[in-house]
Amino acid sequence: MITKKNTYVILASFLFLSTQALDIYQSTTPVEKSKDEGKQVFERFACNSCHGNSGEMEGDFSTLKERFTAETLPEYINNPQAYDNKQMPVYDGMISDSEMEDLVAYLFLLGEELNRSDD
Amino acid sequence: MNVISRKHVAILALSFVFLSACKMTYDSLNLDYTIEESQANVNEGKRLTTVMCGVCHYDQKTGQMTGIHMVDVPPALGKIVSSNITQHKEKGIGNYTDAELAQVIRTGIAKDGKLIPFMQKPNLSDEDLRDIIAFLRSDDPTVQPSDVDPGSTELTGLGKMAIRMEKPTPWNHPISKPSASDTLAFGKYLIDNLACYDCHSKSFAKVDKINIEKSKGFMGGGNKLYNKLGEEVLSPNLTPHITGIKEWSEEDFKKAITKGFNKDNKVISYPMPLYPDLKDHEISAMFIYLKSIDPIKNDI
């Protein structure tokens, strides 16, 4: 038998679940979150002052995926001088692992966007 | 009234005399100069060329000294492009003699007589000049003939006027290099020939290339430069004032100029070049010299 109490419980559960579902729907997707955080790191470390806001200047971001993987790009960023790039700051010890992860994901994304805009 | 007054005539005449006196081309000095190759140290020449010339002439894209567009220069002066200094006979310096190279480096007068006032090094020692020229003549890949054309310098009216105001620096010979044990003189020599004073003093228009300490606001920063986004960047104060580097340690200074992070671990970006090829004793001498100059209050 469905009592009044049960009805309230069901109604309350329905409302609770609906708001949770709405929250999930409205929240940023993981990709977007990473993109935002990567962009923040990109700008905080003044990468844009040489590479441009969209990676369109120094460094040819459009071929980034051909030249690096998610494992090798952090090695380059941490010590560009080892790759004969003497004008890029040495980020080793200056950037956290999570910041580097967000940054690398963002750099690849910029490369993809540049390639799409070329098509 | 459309009447041309005596005052106007006088101003026009004075302007004409002034502009006539300012030239953009000069006669060659016809120097009697050749390098003694047997004495030259090509490896040292490469290091010196990298830190003194590479900042403006090395192109990361070509991996050679093919010249670049100098975007840090105030746009009001126009587009400034550094030259291809590879051994290419038409596009580079393949047709320059030793004397012509020495002349352009020390006085700014190029082979064709044009004045290049951005790179004059009147106090560069004979020893370093010889090593740099020997390197430019070497078989190093970065200076092998390349026909890459980095583009042309296109000055605005203001830029042309600014160039006309500049003069060739004198050809002095011989010039000996300060001993590394004379720390202050050696540090000053490096601040001079790495052209630190050029960007870090008050204004490009007020620097004294012969006696760098007479430059207005010597090493006190505040000179207007531009990053690659076209945003204005003021050069930092490097004098031993609390608004400069008074509280910096030698390690802080070394980190700044070799790794690109300041005392507070804030990134130092373009147009500040990095100098990972400088030796520890050179960085130390530069730092000790900077700590010895007059402090200037200038909170950038």
Side-chain angles (χ1 to χ4, degrees):
Chain A
M1 210 178 129
I2 299 173
T3 63
K4 256 191 185 178
K5 191 181 167 190
N6 286 341
T7 309
Y8 288 140
V9 169
I10 290 167
L11 260 174
S13 306
F14 177 75
L15 282 171
F16 175 74
L17 289 171
S18 303
T19 52
Q20 290 297 303
L22 197 65
D23 276 355
I24 291 166
Y25 177 76
Q26 287 179 336
S27 71
T28 319
T29 63
V31 172
E32 284 171 337
K33 184 170 170 286
S34 176
K35 182 180 174 183
D36 287 346
E37 288 174 359
K39 187 176 184 217
Q40 281 175 23
V41 178
F42 186 73
E43 288 171 357
R44 185 151 48 82
F45 283 104
C47 309
N48 55 343
S49 72
C50 276
H51 298 291
N53 287 325
S54 310
E56 75 282 13
M57 293 163 79
E58 297 295 326
D60 193 9
F61 280 23
S62 65
T63 61
L64 215 51
K65 273 201 164 163
E66 293 161 29
R67 295 180 288 134
F68 296 101
T69 66
E71 284 74 40
T72 59
L73 188 51
E75 289 170 13
Y76 184 95
I77 295 168
N78 276 326
N79 189 11
Q81 289 169 10
Y83 296 80
D84 210 28
N85 181 345
K86 296 179 179 177
Q87 291 310 318
M88 184 168 145
V90 176
Y91 287 86
D92 190 22
M94 298 293 169
I95 184 169
S96 71
D97 290 348
S98 66
E99 285 173 328
M100 180 67 89
E101 204 174 306
D102 291 335
L103 178 64
V104 166
Y106 183 63
L107 298 180
F108 282 133
L109 201 64
L110 287 179
E112 284 169 18
E113 284 175 1
L114 280 177
N115 283 327
R116 271 201 295 276
S117 64
D118 284 346
D119 292 341
Chain B
M1 278 174 72
N2 288 328
V3 178
I4 298 174
S5 68
R6 270 191 185 177
K7 192 177 163 191
H8 287 142
V9 173
I11 289 171
L12 282 170
L14 275 173
S15 304
F16 179 75
V17 169
F18 174 74
L19 287 173
S20 303
C22 302
K23 300 197 296 180
M24 286 179 85
T25 58
Y26 292 83
D27 294 334
S28 169
L29 301 178
N30 295 318
L31 302 170
D32 179 17
Y33 176 93
T34 47
I35 62 163
E36 291 176 42
E37 281 186 44
S38 60
Q39 304 283 312
N41 181 339
V42 173
N43 288 336
E44 178 64 358
K46 177 170 186 173
R47 193 180 73 88
L48 293 171
T49 305
T50 302
V51 295
M52 291 181 187
C53 318
V55 169
C56 294
H57 291 280
Y58 182 76
D59 185 350
Q60 196 80 36
K61 291 191 190 92
T62 62
Q64 286 194 285
M65 298 278 183
T66 46
I68 52 172
H69 176 196
M70 306 293 297
V71 295
D72 57 325
V73 175
L77 298 178
K79 179 185 171 193
I80 312 273
V81 178
S82 63
S83 302
N84 176 337
I85 57 167
T86 69
Q87 295 162 9
H88 195 275
K89 287 192 185 301
E90 285 83 40
K91 302 286 184 185
I93 55 162
N95 277 332
Y96 270 67
T97 63
D98 288 353
E100 287 163 342
L101 281 173
Q103 172 181 289
V104 70
I105 292 169
R106 276 211 184 131
T107 72
I109 303 172
K111 184 181 173 72
D112 60 4
K114 279 186 187 161
L115 179 65
I116 308 175
F118 318 107
M119 50 163 280
Q120 294 155 306
K121 297 195 185 299
N123 303 318
L124 186 68
S125 71
D126 293 356
E127 179 187 335
D128 287 351
L129 183 63
R130 176 200 64 203
D131 290 349
I132 287 171
I133 293 174
F135 167 69
L136 293 173
R137 303 258 189 252
S138 75
D139 58 3
D140 190 271
T142 60
V143 290
Q144 291 316 293
S146 164
D147 63 359
V148 167
D149 186 346
S152 307
T153 290
E154 291 161 20
L155 295 169
T156 59
L158 185 65
K160 284 178 186 163
M161 194 181 286
I163 296 281
R164 283 176 186 274
M165 301 282 282
E166 296 285 340
K167 296 274 176 257
T169 41
W171 168 261
N172 291 322
H173 184 74
I175 300 176
S176 55
K177 187 172 182 172
S179 160
S181 61
D182 186 353
T183 311
L184 288 180
F186 188 55
K188 180 184 173 186
Y189 177 81
L190 290 164
I191 294 290
D192 181 343
N193 288 293
L194 293 173
C196 309
Y197 73 99
D198 215 5
C199 290
H200 286 278
S201 298
K202 179 75 180 168
S203 159
F204 288 121
K206 302 277 174 65
V207 292
D208 188 326
K209 292 169 184 167
I210 299 158
N211 187 350
I212 61 168
E213 290 172 340
K214 286 188 177 170
S215 300
K216 187 171 183 185
F218 180 58
M219 298 308 289
N223 197 358
K224 281 183 192 169
L225 304 161
Y226 292 83
N227 68 16
K228 292 190 179 177
L229 295 172
E231 297 166 340
E232 189 177 286
V233 179
L234 294 178
S235 62
N237 179 351
L238 297 188
T239 67
H241 187 270
I242 192 73
T243 56
I245 59 164
K246 184 178 180 182
E247 297 195 334
W248 285 42
S249 67
E250 193 175 313
E251 275 307 303
D252 292 330
F253 182 68
K254 183 180 177 186
K255 181 177 70 177
I257 67 172
T258 62
K259 295 191 171 181
F261 282 88
N262 73 9
K263 185 181 189 303
D264 303 320
N265 286 337
K266 194 175 168 198
V267 73
I268 300 169
S269 55
Y270 184 90
M272 172 65 193
L274 295 182
Y275 296 97
D277 291 306
L278 286 178
K279 295 173 180 170
D280 283 352
H281 76 281
E282 292 174 325
I283 295 170
S284 180
M286 289 166 71
F287 183 70
I288 290 167
Y289 171 70
L290 288 175
K291 286 281 192 172
S292 78
I293 64 176
D294 289 341
I296 292 175
K297 182 184 177 186
N298 192 11
D299 201 358
I300 304 298

